[in-house]
Amino acid sequence: MYILPRNEALDVNPPAGNEELTTHGSDWLWAVFGLYMLFFFIFFGTSFIAKSGEKIFHYLFTIALLVGSLTYFAVASDLGWEVITVADSKPVSGLWTRQVFWVEYVNWVVSFPVIAISLGLLSGVSWASIVFNVFLSWTWTVSLLVSAFTGTRYKWGFFGIGILAWFILAFNTLFYGTIAAKRVGVSRDYIILAGYVNFFWMIYPIAWGIADGGNKIGVTPGYIFYGILDILVVPVTAFAFYFMSSKWDYNKLNIAFTRYGRVPQSGEFPEKTTPAPAAAAPPVVGEPTTAV
């Protein structure tokens, strides 16, 4: 007798490939989906009690958690994949294929830039630096996606380019970000957050290399690895930002974005309170003007 209903996702949406998702893997992915949805509703709920000018991190991580929920729903349902020819670690000399989920890379394309933007806003680096880091995160994740869908060993060229983008991103967030954070007085919190994120970002290439990249482990073990990493990087980081942000001065950090004309408690702005100089009265029609 089953207490819980049987997982029929793989019966409705059958997997394919020599290396494919198993029912136990789908069970794990449904659990990750449930955790993501739980974190999403809790985090979204906290936005209703945050000050009006202090919701930027709520907005960012709410999107990351919602997209993560969507992608894990798809993978748990055995949707959003293609069968790719394996180039490495084949157990036979002939053709060997693997089920690769492109939808997981959609999750990273959204969540990694969210984290890069959040770290940039906290540190006080320029908008140009934030945009640069966002494009680096996109280059990294897209390189992994293209590499995963390359059926020859040329995949490692795409992988190497992606690792270069990740290395620059890590350098920017750990070095330049820390320097900027010291100027605005949040270096301690920033170092904790940036160090935590970059530690787990460093593990992603390893996870990818033994899963979608090198085919050292199967699809189910690979998604157990990915799921643990994603939970630690996105939901945990989101709540770390939430709890630490309670002591940050959003005005000093210049991130109270909804203040102008909407949030008077976010600060004093002389340009909005100083009266403009009175305009000179227009000359009366028919009255001669005085020559200077």
Side-chain angles (χ1 to χ4, degrees):
M1 178 179 178
Y2 289 101
I3 299 177
L4 296 175
R6 178 174 170 269
N7 182 1
E8 299 178 348
L10 272 62
D11 296 331
V12 177
N13 306 303
N18 300 114
E19 302 279 354
E20 62 182 24
L21 184 68
T22 65
T23 300
H24 292 305
S26 179
D27 292 339
W28 158 252
L29 291 164
W30 280 120
V32 177
F33 163 72
L35 285 174
Y36 257 84
M37 286 301 300
L38 175 63
F39 287 131
F40 163 75
F41 282 116
I42 294 174
F43 203 79
F44 180 64
T46 62
S47 66
F48 292 98
I49 59 176
K51 294 180 180 179
S52 298
E54 300 181 1
K55 294 187 178 183
I56 183 60
F57 297 118
H58 292 82
Y59 295 156
L60 290 169
F61 283 106
T62 292
I63 291 297
L65 291 168
L66 187 58
V67 172
S69 301
L70 182 153
T71 57
Y72 271 101
F73 175 85
V75 181
S77 302
D78 200 38
L79 298 170
W81 52 267
E82 295 290 340
V83 175
I84 305 300
T85 302
V86 172
D88 300 285
S89 302
K90 296 185 291 185
V92 296
S93 58
L95 180 68
W96 194 260
T97 58
R98 181 185 181 94
Q99 187 180 19
V100 177
F101 288 84
W102 55 263
V103 72
E104 173 66 13
Y105 297 85
V106 174
N107 180 26
W108 297 343
V109 163
V110 174
S111 62
F112 289 0
V114 163
I115 294 173
I117 293 170
S118 299
L119 290 174
L121 292 175
L122 173 61
S123 68
V125 296
S126 68
W127 282 110
S129 297
I130 293 175
V131 171
F132 181 45
N133 288 341
V134 167
F135 274 89
L136 286 171
S137 68
W138 282 338
T139 303
W140 176 26
T141 52
V142 170
S143 296
L144 292 181
L145 171 64
V146 175
S147 182
F149 279 78
T150 301
T152 67
R153 291 184 176 175
Y154 283 89
K155 66 167 55 187
W156 297 108
F158 296 111
F159 176 78
I161 295 170
I163 293 302
L164 178 61
W166 162 73
F167 180 80
I168 299 172
L169 175 62
F171 180 79
N172 286 349
T173 53
L174 290 173
F175 182 72
Y176 291 120
T178 300
I179 292 175
K182 289 179 180 178
R183 291 197 293 263
V184 291
V186 293
S187 59
R188 176 184 173 275
D189 289 351
Y190 180 83
I191 290 172
I192 292 173
L193 291 168
Y196 175 85
V197 167
N198 277 284
F199 173 77
F200 287 107
W201 271 352
M202 180 178 62
I203 300 176
Y204 273 94
I206 299 173
W208 186 92
I210 63 175
D212 290 349
N215 197 47
K216 294 290 186 181
I217 60 177
V219 177
T220 291
Y223 270 91
I224 292 174
F225 205 163
Y226 290 156
I228 293 172
L229 284 176
D230 285 344
I231 290 172
L232 291 173
V233 168
V234 182
V236 173
T237 301
F239 280 91
F241 266 87
Y242 172 72
F243 288 113
M244 289 184 175
S245 65
S246 61
K247 57 185 178 181
W248 297 339
D249 185 342
Y250 278 62
N251 293 314
K252 184 177 180 181
L253 296 174
N254 198 27
I255 55 175
F257 294 122
T258 59
R259 57 193 172 188
Y260 283 109
R262 301 184 186 187
V263 191
Q265 69 268 26
S266 290
E268 296 293 330
F269 301 94
E271 71 275 17
K272 300 182 72 66
T273 57
T274 303
V284 178
V285 177
E287 180 178 317
T289 56
T290 303
V292 179

